Amino acid sequence: KQEVTQIPAALSVPEGENLVLNCSFTDSAIYNLQWFRQDPGKGLTSLLLIQSSQREQTSGRLNASLDKSSGRSTLYIAASQPGDSATYLCAVRRNNAGNMLTFGGGTRLMVKP
Amino acid sequence: NAGVTQTPKFQVLKTGQSMTLQCAQDMNHNSMYWYRQDPGMGLRLIYYSASEGTTDKGEVPNGYNVSRLNKREFSLRLESAAPSQTSVYFCASKRGSANTGELFFGEGSRLTVL
C-alpha cells in the first residue's frame, strides 16, 4: 500500500526566506506526483504536476523535484511571501492505480511579514 | 470560468437523515471524483467516475452512493447519515484518462452529522 508522508507538518519562516517542503512515498512505482496548495476553508489548487519520467517542474517562484528511486519529492519556494501562507499537499498516482491518488497529510506554512 | 462548483457549502444533519451533495464542472472533463478530508487522515477517495455512465468505488465508499448524471454533474448521496461522516467533502475533475492530467478541486462542502 502506498503511503505518503510530508515533514514537517508545520513550518513558520520570515518573509523573504527560501524554503523546501518535503514529500516521501513508499512505493516508487508511480505514474506522476502533484503538488497542491490549500487555503483555510478552501479547496485544493494544483501547483505543479511531475510525470515519473521528469526530474523537475518549475512555475514562477516554485520548483518541484522528483527522485523516484529514493521515493522523494521536494517543493522549493523562493523568496517566500506572506501570501504563500497555506497548507501544501503532495499526492502520488501509482502505476496501475488508475484514478487512485494517495495524498500526504500536508505541511502548514506560515510566512511572517 | 467557474471550474468545479459544489453545493451546498455547509450542511448540518441529524443521524439517519439523508442528503445529496451536488457537483458540476464546466471544463468538459471526463473524470470526476469525490474525496473526504479529515484531520489526521488526509484526503481519501470515496467514489470516482472515469467517464459518463461509469462509477467505481474508491478507498472509503461505505455509506455513500454516487450518480454521474451527465458529463458535467456527479452527485454524492448519504442515505442514512452517521456522525462518522462528519467531514469536508471535495469534488474534483480531470480531463485526461486514468493516469494522466491534473486534478481540479471544488471549494468543498462542510458536513456535520449530529
Side-chain angles (χ1 to χ4, degrees), chain A residues 64-94:
Chain A
S65 68
L66 175 64
D67 184 342
K68 257 182 48 172
S69 60
S70 66
R72 297 179 66 175
S73 176
T74 60
L75 179 67
Y76 175 82
I77 303 177
S80 58
Q81 303 169 358
D84 294 330
S85 298
T87 297
Y88 291 81
L89 298 104
C90 68
V92 169
R93 189 183 306 279
R94 278 186 298 158

Side-chain angles (χ1 to χ4, degrees), chain A residues 31-36 46-52 54 56-59 64 66 91-93 101, chain B residues 94 99-103:
Chain A
Y31 196 86
N32 58 39
L33 182 147
Q34 195 167 355
W35 281 94
F36 295 89
S46 177
L47 297 173
L48 290 163
L49 172 70
I50 310 178
Q51 302 296 340
S52 62
Q54 297 175 317
E56 64 179 324
Q57 281 282 355
T58 297
S59 176
L66 175 64
V92 169
R93 189 183 306 279
L101 271 183
Chain B
K94 178 166 74 70
N99 283 327
T100 63
E102 287 180 79
L103 213 52

